[in-house]
Amino acid sequence: MYHYVNSYSLVKFYTYLIDSYAILFKNRKGYFYGTRKKKGNIVVIIILAVALCASLGFIVYDYVLRGDVSTSDTSKSNLNDKNKVDKRNDSRPKEIDVNGRLVKYLYNKVVDSKTIENPYWMYEGNDNFSVSTATEEQKMRLVSINLNKSKEQWTNCEGAPQQYGDYVTSCSLLNSGTAYSKEYIEYVYKDLFGQDAILNTNSNMVSNVRSTTLYKYIQNSDSYIEYTVEAGGTSSMTYKSTITKASKSNIEVKLYEHTELIDQTNPSNNKTADYIYTFSIDEDDMYSFVSRIKE
């Protein structure tokens, strides 16, 4: 449309010049009679020549130079899109540093390294865990180990039951208690399981190995309020784990872990196992937990 409008305008301009020249040329008794006519013709010819040169220059710029830039930009865009597709299709894994920041970051998202007693308590003894088949309660346990204590806040306890099973609310006589906002819980949930994951507020969140703390969603405050229960006892079991290998492709990261279960009171219960943790990579280079599978 842009080229058509400008070309049409040029045609009208030339038509106007030619018509003007024709009118002046026919007026033999006027300015263009005799010698003056010849001078007038030369002036008109010069004007037409200048206009023609200017028009040709404009056409060269508009069709050639601008066309090349537009074509070049389009080609670059297509090339970038192709490279992006090729990059996503290249699924060949490459080994990465097991002590690198990425490996530590991903590993700590799915293993409770702060709990020596059982850093895998979130998996409830399951050797094979897949996010696609896990219950919401199981996924919320993983969410709990990714929470930042500094994000806790005091909230209105209106509508929150004082007791939930054996758990008692943290709400005080001032009717306020410790909680995490739903917005923050949802942020952690999506960061762990992907931006398309949907938080189910009907599922409670147990947050430690002994299940002494539980967070329950209360609609009135739009937050997860803390409930606690007393629990005693100690365990003689400890775990020792090592990341033996890590690999990354353009679509996923895999961490290879070797674990040792050590029973300090009965060494005959000691055992070892190997697991593979898989994380997918989306188009925005965001990582989502996929599974923990025993080799």
Side-chain angles (χ1 to χ4, degrees):
M1 176 61 73
Y2 177 79
H3 295 305
Y4 172 78
V5 171
N6 282 281
S7 300
Y8 178 70
S9 299
L10 288 175
V11 171
K12 289 184 64 177
F13 176 70
Y14 289 141
T15 303
Y16 173 77
L17 288 178
I18 292 171
D19 289 345
S20 299
Y21 173 73
I23 292 172
L24 292 173
F25 182 76
K26 289 179 180 180
N27 188 3
R28 297 180 179 275
K29 295 183 179 181
Y31 183 79
F32 292 104
Y33 188 78
T35 303
R36 291 182 179 179
K37 175 182 173 183
K38 293 180 180 178
K39 291 182 179 180
N41 289 343
I42 293 174
V43 170
V44 171
I45 291 173
I46 292 174
I47 292 174
L48 289 175
V50 171
L52 179 61
C53 290
S55 301
L56 289 175
F58 172 78
I59 292 172
V60 169
Y61 169 77
D62 195 47
Y63 282 88
V64 179
L65 297 182
R66 283 176 57 87
D68 287 346
V69 171
S70 176
T71 303
S72 177
D73 291 342
T74 302
S75 298
K76 288 180 180 179
S77 177
N78 292 337
L79 182 60
N80 290 336
D81 291 342
K82 183 179 183 300
N83 289 338
K84 190 172 183 180
V85 171
D86 290 342
K87 181 180 177 182
R88 295 290 301 167
N89 289 337
D90 185 6
S91 58
R92 293 170 295 181
K94 298 179 181 179
E95 285 198 30
I96 57 177
D97 184 5
V98 296
N99 297 311
R101 293 169 59 185
L102 176 62
V103 171
K104 292 180 178 179
Y105 167 72
L106 295 177
Y107 185 69
N108 288 329
K109 287 170 74 73
V110 294
V111 174
D112 189 1
S113 302
K114 300 183 294 294
T115 305
I116 299 176
E117 179 182 332
N118 183 5
Y120 313 103
W121 63 270
M122 310 81 62
Y123 302 108
E124 302 179 292
N126 295 321
D127 284 329
N128 296 307
F129 177 90
S130 176
V131 172
S132 62
T133 58
T135 66
E136 283 302 310
E137 287 76 13
Q138 290 173 327
K139 287 192 281 187
M140 291 301 284
R141 288 171 181 263
L142 282 166
V143 169
S144 73
I145 70 171
N146 287 275
L147 299 179
N148 187 335
K149 267 291 189 181
S150 66
K151 296 294 184 179
E152 276 189 335
Q153 59 188 26
W154 284 94
T155 190
N156 187 348
C157 289
E158 183 180 351
Q162 287 297 310
Q163 191 165 347
Y164 181 76
D166 294 331
Y167 292 87
V168 178
T169 180
S170 63
C171 294
S172 66
L173 295 176
L174 299 176
N175 200 33
S176 60
T178 306
Y180 287 104
S181 69
K182 176 193 171 185
E183 181 181 9
Y184 175 63
I185 296 295
E186 189 168 35
Y187 167 80
V188 175
Y189 189 91
K190 288 180 176 292
D191 181 64
L192 185 58
F193 302 120
Q195 293 303 305
D196 293 332
I198 300 175
L199 175 67
N200 184 349
T201 56
N202 292 323
S203 298
N204 299 321
M205 178 174 60
V206 175
S207 68
N208 57 44
V209 62
R210 296 189 179 280
S211 301
T212 57
T213 305
L214 174 145
Y215 289 87
K216 179 176 177 59
Y217 176 73
I218 304 300
Q219 188 172 7
N220 285 11
S221 61
D222 197 29
S223 61
Y224 284 77
I225 293 181
E226 181 185 59
Y227 287 76
T228 58
V229 65
E230 291 187 6
T234 58
S235 173
S236 61
M237 301 285 193
T238 58
Y239 282 84
K240 182 181 179 181
S241 61
T242 306
I243 300 296
T244 59
K245 177 184 174 183
S247 66
K248 180 183 178 184
S249 69
N250 292 318
I251 59 174
E252 66 181 13
V253 172
K254 287 183 179 291
L255 309 182
Y256 298 80
E257 176 195 50
H258 177 73
T259 66
E260 296 179 49
L261 172 61
I262 303 171
D263 189 338
Q264 297 175 353
T265 60
N266 188 357
S268 63
N269 291 330
N270 294 357
K271 58 182 180 180
T272 63
D274 296 289
Y275 295 89
I276 300 176
Y277 298 82
T278 301
F279 300 82
S280 64
I281 307 175
D282 65 18
E283 293 182 352
D284 297 319
D285 289 331
M286 300 296 289
Y287 300 89
S288 302
F289 183 43
V290 175
S291 63
R292 173 185 185 256
I293 305 297
K294 186 177 181 179
E295 288 192 274

